[in-house]
Amino acid sequence: MIELNDTLNKITEMLQTLSGILQTEQKLLIENSLTNQLNEIINKKSQLLIELKLLDEKRIKLSKQFNIQPPYEESPTIAEHWLSITNTTVLLSKINRDNGVIIQNRMNITQQSINYLKKMNSPAVYTNHGYQQTDVISSKRAKV
């Protein structure tokens, strides 16, 4: 049981680290500053999630070994620890979802800006018969 408790302690520490990473990510997204750091933050987050998955697999294996299942009511200390972990993961999931919404909104605004600029650079051209020309016209001038 000590090994299970140690695993839960490691998971708790990693979740605290993940919380800091997610909050930094959100700050960068909201302030729209230092966006070049986002790639580094995303890489750290991905690596941490992989490590958390491995620890959770270890937790599951130990739970089976000791024939104890979440919410670990058989051991009050472990049950309290597990409750803390589940509450933290719910909070972190919400922060991560909020960050995803911020990113999606930014992508939508960027796409709208690109579409607007494309319209600006592709003005409608009409032929001498009054019909809109669909072919792209080169902006180069011919010398006469």
Side-chain angles (χ1 to χ4, degrees):
M1 288 279 242
I2 293 173
E3 191 175 2
L4 179 59
N5 196 43
D6 289 345
T7 301
L8 294 177
N9 284 333
K10 289 176 186 174
I11 290 172
T12 300
E13 290 172 15
M14 293 182 104
L15 289 175
Q16 289 171 351
T17 303
L18 181 60
S19 175
I21 289 171
L22 289 172
Q23 289 172 2
T24 301
E25 179 183 51
Q26 191 170 73
K27 181 181 176 190
L28 291 173
L29 290 168
I30 290 171
E31 293 177 358
N32 201 22
S33 63
L34 304 173
T35 51
N36 57 340
Q37 290 182 350
L38 279 175
N39 191 40
E40 180 182 330
I41 293 289
I42 290 169
N43 288 338
K44 283 181 182 178
K45 182 170 67 169
S46 296
Q47 183 61 38
L48 197 56
L49 290 172
I50 291 168
E51 292 174 24
L52 274 168
K53 181 173 175 27
L54 293 173
L55 273 175
D56 194 50
E57 288 172 358
K58 182 177 180 181
R59 176 198 61 83
I60 291 168
K61 180 181 171 188
L62 289 170
S63 294
K64 286 179 183 177
Q65 180 181 338
F66 294 120
N67 199 26
I68 182 172
Q69 298 299 316
Y72 302 115
E73 294 170 345
E74 299 86 351
S75 172
T77 306
I78 292 177
E80 185 178 321
H81 209 152
W82 180 249
L83 181 62
S84 172
I85 287 171
T86 55
N87 289 339
T88 301
T89 56
V90 168
L91 177 65
L92 295 180
S93 175
K94 182 185 178 313
I95 294 170
N96 196 45
R97 190 172 38 255
D98 291 346
N99 290 357
V101 168
I102 293 169
I103 290 170
Q104 187 60 50
N105 287 340
R106 288 272 167 91
M107 288 173 53
N108 291 342
I109 290 169
T110 301
Q111 188 60 51
Q112 289 171 0
S113 298
I114 289 170
N115 292 341
Y116 178 77
L117 291 172
K118 281 181 180 179
K119 286 181 192 176
M120 297 292 290
N121 288 329
S122 305
V125 178
Y126 293 89
T127 66
N128 57 354
H129 299 294
Y131 296 107
Q132 191 171 6
Q133 186 168 349
T134 57
D135 296 338
V136 176
I137 296 177
S138 174
S139 62
K140 295 180 183 177
R141 292 188 178 171
K143 289 187 180 180
V144 181

